[in-house]
Each structure stands twice: as structure tokens, then as C-alpha cells.
Amino acid sequence: MNFFHLVRANWEEHPKLRTVSIQLLNQINYQVLVNDLLKLDAISDAQKRGYEFEKYLNKLFGVFGLDPHASYRTETDQIDGSFILNGNTILLEAKYRAAQLSKNDLILFENKVSRKSQFARGLFVSLSDFDENVVNYFKDRSSRIIALSVPEIYMMCSQEQDLKDVLTRKFRYLDEYGIIYRHINMLF
């Protein structure tokens, strides 16, 4: 068990651990995270940019103690990575492309998640924002995925917000309202 698992498991029982966790959060170099994110735009090769984006997300999840795993392949699926949030495994789909996402992009990912454990959830990260019609398609469909845009990651890092808090609020919004995407400005 690593330190972050210990902190997560004992958060409520041991107030001193909360202080240690907050001190670690204060040690995160948000400017480096912002700069690394901005560097992705300079990569002209789309495939390389996508691969570097996956590496960036893995680093981001690691910085926040979310125990990330790099991308992997099963017999039927390519998964862009995974991490642990509040004791739950979150599968990752990452799309670093400017073109608007289609409903099918999210349906394919939703299907990947639904073929895993009944407890698995998913995070779809995209460079482009999420079209309201696409988001509305998933409303009240017992979805297990949430969506996060690259501009939200930039905003989160620029404002030095805790990624765990952002994702927890997004999943809570999904659980309470059945909506996969709510901009972080509307959650805080």
C-alpha cells in the first residue's frame, strides 16, 4: 500500500493525515502542468501528439496520487489508461483532436466501460468541448462515464484546483442528475 492509498483509506479517521495531504497538494507545481499541456499543441504529428497526451494525463493523475496505469490492450479493446479515484477504477479515453466529437465516440467508450466490471467507470478527455446534443443523448441513460475537456484541465491547473475534487464533483453530478458533462465553472 503506498502513501496515497493510506491517506485515502484513513482520511476521515485521522485529521493529521488531511494536513499532510493538503501539504502535498500545495507542493504540486501547477505551472509545470500548464506548460507541459501547452507544449502538446506544438507537436505536428497527430499520432505522436495523441501518444504524448496520454503520457501527460498519466503524469497528471500521478501528481495527484491517483495511481495511474498507462494505456493497454485487451483482446477486444484499446484502453488509454486507468486510475483510482475514491477507491473506484476509472478507465480513460483520451482524444486530442480539434474536430468536434460525435455521439459515436462517446457511445464506443461507454460500451468499453460497460463490458468491464460492473463497478468500472470512465473518464473521456477531449481537446474539443462537448456538444450539448451529444451530452443530452446520454442524459438519464445510467451512464458510467463523465467528460472533461482540455480547456478545463488548463483552467484547473491555472487556478490550482485539486483534480480529485474536480473529478469527484463531476461523478457526483452524473450520479445526481444523470448528465455526463458539466463544465467545472458550474461545479464550484
Side-chain angles (χ1 to χ4, degrees):
M1 179 179 290
N2 69 29
F3 176 75
F4 290 104
H5 285 110
L6 179 66
V7 169
R8 185 171 41 243
N10 295 297
W11 183 260
E12 293 301 322
E13 294 91 39
H14 302 286
K16 288 182 181 178
L17 286 177
R18 278 187 286 222
T19 303
V20 170
S21 295
I22 290 167
Q23 288 170 348
L24 286 174
L25 188 59
N26 290 335
Q27 293 176 8
I28 292 172
N29 191 332
Y30 285 95
Q31 192 57 52
V32 168
L33 293 172
V34 168
N35 292 342
D36 288 351
L37 183 61
L38 293 174
K39 288 177 188 175
L40 294 172
D41 274 337
I43 302 171
S44 58
D45 180 84
Q47 186 174 16
K48 183 175 182 190
R49 187 173 51 243
Y51 176 70
E52 292 299 319
F53 183 47
E54 287 178 20
K55 285 175 37 180
Y56 171 82
L57 291 173
N58 195 288
K59 174 183 174 180
L60 179 70
F61 300 139
V63 164
F64 284 94
L66 297 176
D67 191 19
H69 286 180
S71 63
Y72 62 94
R73 191 177 244 349
T74 67
E75 286 185 27
T76 57
D77 294 320
Q78 167 69 34
I79 305 295
D80 293 339
S82 69
F83 59 94
I84 303 294
L85 176 68
N86 301 326
N88 298 302
T89 300
I90 312 297
L91 303 178
L92 175 66
E93 182 75 14
K95 299 286 185 202
Y96 200 89
R97 61 178 188 221
Q100 191 74 39
L101 292 172
S102 72
K103 176 174 66 175
N104 290 338
D105 290 320
L106 288 162
I107 289 172
L108 286 171
F109 181 55
E110 175 74 28
N111 288 339
K112 284 181 186 182
V113 172
S114 68
R115 287 192 302 268
K116 306 299 180 220
S117 159
Q118 67 182 4
F119 304 106
R121 302 183 97 178
L123 171 64
F124 196 109
V125 182
S126 171
L127 175 61
S128 63
D129 280 327
F130 297 89
D131 180 83
E132 187 176 341
N133 292 327
V134 172
V135 171
N136 286 337
Y137 171 82
F138 288 90
K139 186 175 181 179
D140 296 329
R141 290 186 182 246
S142 299
S143 183
R144 295 179 359 210
I145 65 169
I146 59 169
L148 178 71
S149 68
V150 171
E152 287 179 289
I153 295 172
Y154 176 82
M155 182 181 300
M156 178 201 78
C157 291
S158 296
Q159 296 174 0
E160 299 188 3
Q161 292 177 308
D162 184 352
L163 176 62
K164 290 183 276 190
D165 193 27
V166 168
L167 296 176
T168 298
R169 287 174 187 239
K170 282 183 169 276
F171 274 113
R172 184 172 188 171
Y173 195 80
L174 171 69
D175 292 342
E176 291 179 347
Y177 298 99
I179 299 173
I180 67 167
Y181 178 72
R182 182 84 168 165
H183 195 280
I184 63 172
N185 280 344
M186 305 301 288
L187 294 172
F188 288 88

